[in-house]
Structure formats: structure tokens, C-alpha cells
Amino acid sequence: MVTRVQEAAFDFSVEVNNFQAKVKSAGALVTFTGIVRDDSGGLDYMHIEHYPAMTEAALQKIETQAINKFGLEDALVIHRYGILTPGETIMMVATAARHRKDAFAGADYLMDYLKSRAPFWKKEVSKDHTEWVQAKSTDEAALAAWSRVPKA
Amino acid sequence: MKLNILYFAWVRERVGHSRETVETDAATVADLVVELLQRDEGCAAAFADMSAICVAVDQELGELTTHLKDSCEVAFFPPMTGG
């Protein structure tokens, strides 16, 4: 299990290849990549702030939950902070399982929990406008839904 | 007792600084919020709607009823938006 919190960019393909090389017992590998989106066409950058003393432990806790719930062989989470421009990669998760269903579900679960239980905050900065990205009520509903999914 | 308080995102912007140490007898997070609310306009704006704010005590998510101990770290922030 690997969790990394970093400001620097990372190479997705290198990360996936390294992850795959470590999980010999897996028959399925699923990845998700989060990218800075520019809905208005005027976004200059996104500033991602986090709580350094808490972030790594929060990510590890979420990852351990996902591994246990879906019987994953392994999982990887990399999350960036700092200033990111549209099109840049914010974060990625990778899950490895014996079969695809658990790998997909594990990645989906990881993303739902990272969204509302990992201490990151995003601020969108444009020339004439600055706005904190708000959590949605559907984010919490997604977590509640997972509690009804039995352990794999 | 002394508490180390941290603020993040728009809570930090409204309070006006990112960390401070306060001397207090607050037994719970709710007691501490009541004290902060009365302190100045920035805090009043930050803590006006507690349903919009999350708290962590010693880096673990807590609630208004969470008890505070000497030298613990209390962090206030908006709902998280990771991913």
C-alpha cells in the first residue's frame, strides 16, 4: 500500500507500471486520474491546500478500508497540492484485485472517500474571480451508500 | 490549558490567520467555538454557520461534543474537497 502527498507532478505511466510490477497475484488493475477542469474557459489555476499533519494518515486510513472491504491485493493513492493549471493531473488512484469487479469497486470507493474525507481544499482562481470549490450533498450520500455494500 | 488551533481554506481567510495558541478552559469543541465567536468580527463570520464547518482534534475528525485536552491540536475547516 502506497500513499503519497506531493506538490510535484508525477508520471502516470511510470506509477502504473511500478504498481503492476509489485502485484503478481492480481488479475485486474483499475486506475482513476483526476484532472483540473476548466468549465468557464477562464480558469487561471487551481490552488489546492491541505492539512499536512493529517493528510497522509487520512489517506492511509481510507486506503486500508478499501483494501479490507474489497479484498484488494494492493492500492495506490497519489494526491498533489499547490498551484495546478487546467489540464494538469491532480491525483490518481490504482487498485489491484484478483477480479475486475473488486478492482473497479475499490477505485470507486477510494474516490468517494478521498472526495470528502481527505483534508484537501480547492480554490479556483480566474482573472476577476476567486472561489472555493464547495462540497456537494451528493458527496456525503455517496459515502452513506457504501455502508450498505457488503464486504467482498 | 493551552490549545493549538489551525484554520484552513475560507475559515482561515475569515479568521485572518492560519494558526494560533489560545489559553482556554473550554471542555469541548462547542465551548471553544462559543469563545471564538465572541472574540472578533473575523471569527464571528467564520463560525456563523457551524453546519458549514468541520473540526479535527489531534488530526482525527471530531464533532462539537468532542472533548479537548491540554496542548491538543484543534483544526477548523470547510467540508473537504479532495480527489
Side-chain angles (χ1 to χ4, degrees):
Chain A
M1 182 175 98
V2 174
T3 56
R4 272 176 21 219
V5 183
Q6 62 187 54
E7 189 162 15
F10 58 87
D11 186 326
F12 173 79
S13 53
V14 169
E15 300 296 343
V16 174
N17 289 337
N18 288 344
F19 180 70
Q20 186 176 346
K22 281 195 306 176
V23 281
K24 308 272 188 247
S25 48
L29 193 160
V30 165
T31 67
F32 172 86
T33 309
I35 301 160
V36 180
R37 191 180 65 221
D38 180 9
D39 283 341
S40 65
L43 181 70
D44 282 340
Y45 62 88
M46 181 177 267
H47 189 193
I48 302 180
E49 179 178 336
H50 76 122
Y51 180 1
M54 181 176 170
T55 314
E56 192 105 6
L59 296 186
Q60 281 171 9
K61 186 176 168 184
I62 293 167
E63 219 174 331
T64 304
Q65 283 170 206
I67 288 170
N68 291 338
K69 190 170 176 77
F70 300 99
L72 302 178
E73 300 293 316
D74 202 358
L76 164 74
V77 176
I78 304 174
H79 205 303
R80 294 177 63 195
Y81 60 89
I83 289 175
L84 286 87
T85 52
E88 268 195 82
T89 300
I90 303 172
M91 54 87 63
M92 70 168 287
V93 304
T95 54
R98 292 185 56 75
H99 304 288
R100 72 187 152 89
K101 281 209 165 80
D102 290 327
F104 273 116
D108 199 16
Y109 175 97
L110 273 175
M111 287 313 304
D112 279 345
Y113 272 84
L114 290 171
K115 205 143 203 88
S116 5
R117 291 292 182 272
F120 291 94
W121 301 275
K122 295 174 180 146
K123 189 182 201 176
E124 292 178 336
V125 181
S126 308
K127 274 183 191 64
D128 49 6
H129 191 64
T130 297
E131 192 172 356
W132 288 99
V133 174
Q134 287 187 23
K136 300 184 190 75
S137 58
T138 49
D139 296 343
E140 285 299 318
L143 300 196
W146 283 115
S147 67
R148 296 191 288 272
V149 175
K151 204 172 159 184
Chain B
M1 62 178 182
K2 274 198 170 68
L3 298 179
N4 300 306
I5 312 185
L6 304 181
Y7 306 101
F8 292 96
W10 58 254
V11 179
R12 167 176 49 75
E13 291 178 342
R14 290 184 194 176
V15 170
H17 45 261
S18 60
R19 61 166 63 225
E20 64 182 317
T21 304
V22 298
E23 187 69 47
T24 175
D25 294 321
T28 64
V29 170
D31 296 340
L32 176 64
V33 169
V34 169
E35 276 183 30
L36 293 171
L37 262 172
Q38 291 162 352
R39 201 174 66 184
D40 57 55
E41 272 183 28
C43 281
F47 294 103
D49 178 8
M50 275 309 291
S51 69
I53 293 185
C54 301
V55 63
V57 177
D58 286 336
Q59 298 93 43
E60 289 274 350
L61 285 177
E63 292 171 17
L64 286 171
T65 52
T66 303
H67 283 270
L68 303 174
K69 298 191 303 275
D70 188 31
S71 3
C72 68
E73 182 172 285
V74 184
F76 292 104
F77 42 80
M80 295 160 268
T81 51

